[in-house]
């Protein structure tokens, strides 16, 4: 489920996400931020930033993906 209330607005574990730093699977989805457009009625000009935190205890890398 996507949460558009910004970074740290939720904390949902997803075992299908791979950390770009340690390359291990398992990360927490921390929320999303709408950069432009309306994500509930998506168009080509909609841009959303998603925030993640690696679940690996030794890594704890945070990153974002813009889609």
């Amino acid at each position: 489920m996507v949460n558009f209330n910004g970074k740290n607005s939720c904390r949902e574990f997803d075992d299908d996400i791979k950390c770009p730093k340690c390359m291990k699977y398992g990360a927490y989805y921390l929320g999303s931020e709408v950069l432009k457009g309306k994500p509930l009625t998506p168009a080509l000009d909609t841009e959303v930033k998603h925030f993640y935190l690696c679940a690996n205890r030794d890594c704890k890398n945070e990153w974002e993906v813009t889609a």
Side-chain angles (χ1 to χ4, degrees):
M1 182 171 180
V2 178
N3 183 320
F4 295 111
N5 294 325
K7 186 176 179 181
N8 296 321
S9 60
C10 67
R11 188 178 177 105
E12 298 175 16
F13 181 74
D14 189 334
D15 58 359
D16 292 330
I17 298 175
K18 188 176 186 180
C19 175
K21 183 177 178 185
C22 71
M23 305 305 281
K24 293 185 179 181
Y25 283 92
Y28 292 100
Y29 165 69
L30 301 177
S32 297
E33 178 181 311
V34 178
L35 301 176
K36 74 176 191 178
K38 297 179 182 178
L40 300 179
T41 56
L44 293 176
D45 65 343
T46 300
E47 195 170 334
V48 178
K49 188 181 293 186
H50 305 284
F51 300 95
Y52 298 96
L53 168 67
C54 181
N56 179 359
R57 192 177 310 180
D58 297 326
C59 181
K60 294 295 185 190
N61 178 43
E62 288 191 34
W63 73 97
E64 52 195 56
V65 177
T66 302

